[in-house]
Amino acid sequence: MNMQTFNNIAKRIIVLNMVVITLCCAVQAKATTINATKFPNTVLDSASAPKLDLKYVGNTTDGLEFDVRYNNISGKYFYFVIKDGNGVVLFEQSYKNKVFYKKVQLPEVGDIKALSFTILNDKDEIVQTKEVKITTNFVEDVFVKIN
């Protein structure tokens, strides 16, 4: 019985040592970080990066509907501009929100084939632009009865 107990204890010690060695080897991996002073234009958190997100929600009875989001991490004034394909300004407004969200509803006009959603900074320089091409497909349901 003494020999069986000794063998069980030895097996447990060997398994425990293997687990400890495996964990130590896994912890040795080094992680590198970006030095923000070395790369001043690098944004460390991509979730907070200034980014214009545009999502087409769909057609409603009122027209075309879009969700617009923009992260304004600087907190400075910016202009939100919507233009049609000919460059005619449909909407322009200045905002200062750090987290900008706007639901845009544009009346459906057959002449408009493209839209551009633009964020301009306070010096009228383009920060980001998203282009939208509008195509319309008509589907007619036809019922054919053969006798």
Side-chain angles (χ1 to χ4, degrees):
M1 181 117 177
N2 270 342
M3 193 58 144
Q4 266 186 330
T5 305
F6 179 73
N7 284 341
N8 285 340
I9 292 174
K11 286 180 185 177
R12 287 183 183 169
I13 290 174
I14 291 172
V15 170
L16 182 64
N17 282 337
M18 290 173 62
V19 169
V20 169
I21 290 171
T22 304
L23 288 176
C24 288
C25 290
V27 173
Q28 291 293 328
K30 293 182 180 179
T32 59
T33 58
I34 297 174
N35 187 352
T37 57
K38 191 173 185 181
F39 304 103
N41 294 330
T42 304
V43 177
L44 298 178
D45 184 10
S46 63
S48 65
K51 181 173 140 183
L52 174 62
D53 287 327
L54 179 66
K55 181 179 178 185
Y56 173 68
V57 178
N59 282 357
T60 62
T61 56
D62 297 330
L64 305 172
E65 196 169 303
F66 297 92
D67 281 344
V68 181
R69 296 177 191 275
Y70 176 65
N71 290 330
N72 181 23
I73 55 176
S74 66
K76 295 181 181 178
Y77 278 100
F78 66 92
Y79 295 96
F80 175 58
V81 181
I82 302 173
K83 294 182 182 179
D84 68 0
N86 299 324
V88 176
V89 176
L90 302 174
F91 178 82
E92 180 177 4
Q93 184 71 42
S94 66
Y95 297 94
K96 193 177 178 178
N97 307 7
K98 283 197 171 199
V99 178
F100 172 74
Y101 171 74
K102 186 153 190 74
K103 187 174 282 274
V104 176
Q105 256 184 342
L106 296 172
E108 191 171 349
V109 179
D111 299 355
I112 297 177
K113 300 294 180 200
L115 293 171
S116 68
F117 295 81
T118 307
I119 300 291
L120 302 166
N121 65 10
D122 55 351
K123 299 173 186 166
D124 287 336
E125 297 170 346
I126 293 177
V127 176
Q128 287 187 350
T129 298
K130 297 277 182 162
E131 301 285 331
V132 176
K133 291 186 180 180
I134 300 172
T135 57
T136 305
N137 295 327
F138 291 104
V139 178
E140 293 185 31
D141 292 333
V142 178
F143 178 72
V144 177
K145 184 177 180 183
I146 300 176
N147 291 333

